[in-house]
Amino acid sequence: MDEQRATADQATGLRRVVSLAPSATATLRALGADDRLVGVTHNCDADGLDAPAVGGWLNPDHDAVAERDPDLVCTADPLQRDVRDAHRERGHRVVHVEPTTLGEAVESFVTLGRAVGQTRAGHDLAWSARGRLERVRRLVANRDRPVVYCEEWSDPPTAAGNWVPDAVRAAGGRYPFLDAGERSREVTRDEVEDAAPDHVVLHVCGRGERSDPATVRDRDWDVPAVERDAVHVVDDSLLNQPSPRLVDGVEALAARLHPDAVDESG
């Protein structure tokens, strides 16, 4: 796609970036492009940024974006296609990424780096991410693989898709609910009980680390994870956001699934 092939020469002189996706904001910050961000959403991690909020990631204020006079607008995910199109219609240059797997998420670091004229930094960030993921895979390679259920929404219970199946496998688990690249979907009690997850991971969208394990325990699901008190809460950005935070999420999952392997690694 054209927006995914933005070249370094196009990005020369680009200084004003508005990021309308939390994943793009996190990635650009990891690339060292904080000083280029002149607008973000309420959903982005803006700590330490001199960049005003221009609305939410699904409902940005298009006029507020225009007032920031951006050289580039960043969007992500199929849910932001309308936002992408709205800003293209206004004449803004837009870079839009839609990773659906762990590998595509890492490759998007290169795309965003190229888009802001930080091509080398984008490649370096992707290279570092791949190295960290490979290290985790080596640590858990010879371990038994527990079944894991990852829930990104609790009403109704929704199994996480996209890159989460990849993340679970990289962390040394089995994920029988979805294949990598498939969209998240509602699951039934029978499906979860038949899969018999050894671990349940709550990373509910928008909840950060505030999800309550009792949400799962109160359902009275007959699964090993509940019986052995292996219901974990992780910050939703660690698994829901296709940014460098996702690599942190794989490492966090591995620490919960295989604490001995991670401890032994030092």
Side-chain angles (χ1 to χ4, degrees):
M1 296 175 65
D2 289 343
E3 67 269 14
Q4 293 182 332
R5 297 183 61 83
T7 59
D9 59 329
Q10 287 175 314
T12 300
L14 185 154
R15 298 301 305 173
R16 300 183 62 82
V17 179
V18 171
S19 174
L20 300 180
S23 59
T25 300
T27 302
L28 292 173
R29 299 194 72 177
L31 291 169
D34 295 51
D35 61 337
R36 302 189 184 204
L37 286 165
V38 297
V40 295
T41 73
H42 295 298
N43 307 98
C44 296
D45 179 3
D47 287 349
L49 281 181
D50 184 19
V54 292
W57 83 284
L58 291 180
N59 57 343
D61 183 332
H62 300 314
D63 291 335
V65 174
E67 289 172 3
R68 302 308 299 157
D69 189 25
D71 301 312
L72 179 71
V73 175
C74 298
T75 57
D77 193 273
L79 293 175
Q80 280 201 312
R81 289 176 184 172
D82 289 345
V83 174
R84 172 198 65 188
D85 294 345
H87 284 284
R88 285 182 174 164
E89 289 171 5
R90 285 172 171 251
H92 295 146
R93 180 181 162 214
V94 181
V95 61
H96 179 84
V97 295
E98 291 187 9
T100 62
T101 66
L102 181 57
E104 289 174 2
V106 172
E107 187 60 29
S108 73
F109 306 163
V110 178
T111 300
L112 287 168
R114 186 184 301 122
V116 297
Q118 299 272 46
T119 301
R120 177 61 181 272
H123 282 288
D124 288 348
L125 184 60
W127 180 86
S128 173
R130 293 186 190 106
R132 290 169 61 190
L133 291 169
E134 182 56 32
R135 176 179 178 274
V136 173
R137 292 187 182 104
R138 289 197 304 269
L139 287 173
V140 302
N142 298 316
R143 303 274 170 160
D144 290 337
R145 289 182 167 265
V147 175
V148 182
Y149 165 64
C150 291
E151 184 168 290
E152 73 165 38
W153 195 252
S154 296
D155 188 19
T158 300
N162 295 314
W163 44 81
V164 170
D166 282 336
V168 171
R169 290 170 190 132
R174 289 187 289 135
Y175 197 74
F177 302 96
L178 288 160
D179 291 328
E182 294 183 332
R183 298 294 286 182
S184 305
R185 66 173 179 86
E186 182 179 349
V187 291
T188 66
R189 173 176 179 156
D190 286 347
E191 282 183 282
V192 178
E193 290 188 341
D194 288 347
D198 303 291
H199 296 266
V200 170
V201 180
L202 290 175
H203 51 104
V204 178
C205 292
R207 294 290 297 168
E209 296 179 301
R210 300 186 305 278
S211 295
D212 187 351
T215 302
V216 175
R217 299 190 190 106
D218 291 347
R219 293 175 191 153
D220 198 28
W221 280 353
D222 183 15
V223 296
V226 173
E227 295 171 5
R228 54 195 290 267
D229 198 27
V231 179
H232 315 286
V233 174
V234 302
D235 191 306
D236 68 293
S237 69
L238 291 175
L239 290 177
N240 298 344
Q241 187 183 102
S243 76
R245 292 283 284 163
L246 184 54
V247 182
D248 297 336
V250 171
E251 293 172 340
L253 270 181
R256 287 163 173 78
L257 304 184
H258 301 284
D260 292 346
V262 174
D263 289 345
E264 290 169 6
S265 74

